[in-house]
Structure formats: C-alpha cells, structure tokens
Amino acid sequence: MTKIAIIDYGMGNLRSVQKGFEKVGFEAVVTADPQVVLAAEKVVLPGVGAFRDCMRNLEQGGFVEPLLQVIRSGRPFLGICVGMQLLFTDSVEFGLYRGLDVIPGHVLRFPEGMHEGGEALKVPHMGWNQLAIKRRPPAFAEVADGANVYFVHSYYARPDDERVVAATATYGIEFCAAVWQDNIVATQFHPEKSQAVGLSILKKFGEMK
C-alpha cells in the first residue's frame, strides 16, 4: 500500500512536495490514479493556480469521490495552498465556484487598498510571514508561535466556524493560514518552500496514524 499519495491533477508543485517528504525520510508517490489515492495511508492535495481550474481538474481526473472517501475514513489528509482552499464551500476567484465543501466557509480575495505602516500592500501576498498559532495539530508539534513560513496567494479562506483555524497570519488583515479538522490539516502557506519549519510539518504529518 502506498504510504503517502500526492495527487497529480495538473495543478500542483508536486516534485518539490515529494522532495520535501524525501528529505524527512518518507517515501511519497506522485499519482494521477484515483485508485492509488483511495488505497493510500495518507493523502496530500497540493494546489497552484486558480480555484476553478483546480476544481475542474479534480473532477475531470475522477478524484473528488476518492478524496471524500479518504477524508471520511479518518486517514491523515494534508491540503496545501489552493489544496486547502478547495476544502471549503466555494470561492469568488473569477466568479463563484463550488469547492469540496468539507469545511464550511468561503474563499475571498484580499481587499483592495490595504496598507501597513503607511505602505500600500501588493496582492498577491508573496513571501515570508509569521504564524500566530491558535490550535496545534499534530503536524505542527514543532512549529513555534511566530515561525516564518512562505506564502504566495491572492485569496484566503474564511471558515464559518473559527474553531477549525489552526494558525493565522497578518497581511493588511488577519487571515486563516492553516486549518485543522479531525484528520485534516491544511495550510495556505507552502511547507515545501518554508525550509526547516515546513519540513517539520511534513515530517510530523508523515508520522501521523
């Protein structure tokens, strides 16, 4: 059985995620086969690009039902960047598009005209930013409050229930940087680009049962 399956639906930074797991001692398989995903012990959903395109590719690749089955089964599931956003009810990116609706809530665009310290803030939010830990999922066991991680995004998720928020960051506004619900942990930032902090998240996720 595949230990860790990384879903290849044409919309993720797949090799760098795979290399991140390899660096911390875990074999991860990049797969475009929904049956491999369905049989995996742990599943990772990365995502780069527009929400609507990611959702369309998931549907066309036959991944939606296997993904939902994995999540319902209680197996560890990691969403990264748009892979986190897809867990929500819908997104306003390029219209209004439905997501997987595993976590009730909405994906919104950063507001126009944000400022910080008198400086206008550009969207997308790109670069290093500090996490404020709200709840600590097992995958965050070694992540310090205030740790720096790497973001690239113009949209952010807003859960209906704030209790699922694991961490926030601030860029003009305070936004949800990570969620934790049962067996699901998902990050708006990129662990695979976040050096030692990110690698610790991949390692602890790999150790989850």
Side-chain angles (χ1 to χ4, degrees):
M1 179 186 283
T2 300
K3 297 283 188 186
I4 302 172
I6 301 170
I7 298 176
D8 179 3
Y9 63 118
M11 300 300 291
N13 198 4
L14 306 173
R15 180 62 188 137
S16 61
V17 176
Q18 185 184 37
K19 283 170 66 176
F21 278 110
E22 289 170 355
K23 279 182 185 175
V24 294
F26 289 93
E27 181 185 356
V29 174
V30 174
T31 181
D33 184 347
Q35 293 307 309
V36 172
V37 172
L38 194 56
E41 292 180 12
K42 302 176 182 73
V43 173
V44 182
L45 179 63
V48 174
F51 183 101
R52 68 175 181 194
D53 299 335
C54 290
M55 194 65 207
R56 179 195 64 215
N57 285 16
L58 272 186
E59 290 167 346
Q60 291 179 351
F63 288 112
V64 171
E65 190 51 40
L67 265 180
L68 295 175
Q69 285 189 46
V70 166
I71 289 170
R72 286 194 293 261
S73 75
R75 280 171 276 170
F77 181 92
L78 174 64
I80 298 174
C81 197
V82 183
M84 170 177 134
Q85 295 178 4
L86 292 168
L87 296 169
F88 285 80
T89 307
D90 53 37
S91 171
V92 299
E93 187 173 5
F94 300 126
L96 183 64
Y97 292 91
R98 293 283 296 179
L100 296 168
D101 200 22
V102 173
I103 301 175
H106 310 281
V107 178
L108 308 171
R109 196 177 196 281
F110 279 112
E112 297 295 330
M114 295 189 303
H115 286 77
E116 200 166 90
E119 297 263 328
L121 296 177
K122 294 180 180 177
V123 177
H125 168 221
M126 185 181 300
W128 295 88
N129 206 333
Q130 286 188 316
L131 292 179
I133 305 294
K134 306 297 182 184
R135 297 166 63 238
R136 192 175 292 280
F140 280 35
E142 296 177 358
V143 180
D145 192 37
N148 280 293
V149 291
Y150 192 82
F151 291 88
V152 183
H153 63 126
S154 300
Y155 293 78
Y156 65 95
R158 188 170 70 192
D160 289 351
D161 184 352
E162 290 187 1
R163 290 175 295 183
V164 304
V165 176
T168 63
T170 299
Y171 188 71
I173 60 170
E174 186 179 24
F175 66 90
C176 175
V179 293
W180 175 28
Q181 177 175 284
D182 303 323
N183 53 313
I184 297 168
V185 61
T187 64
Q188 181 60 65
F189 58 89
H190 287 271
E192 76 282 7
K193 296 180 180 178
S194 297
Q195 298 178 358
V197 173
L199 289 177
S200 79
I201 292 171
L202 297 182
K203 181 174 185 288
K204 290 300 181 183
F205 175 78
E207 292 171 354
M208 287 172 63
K209 302 296 184 188

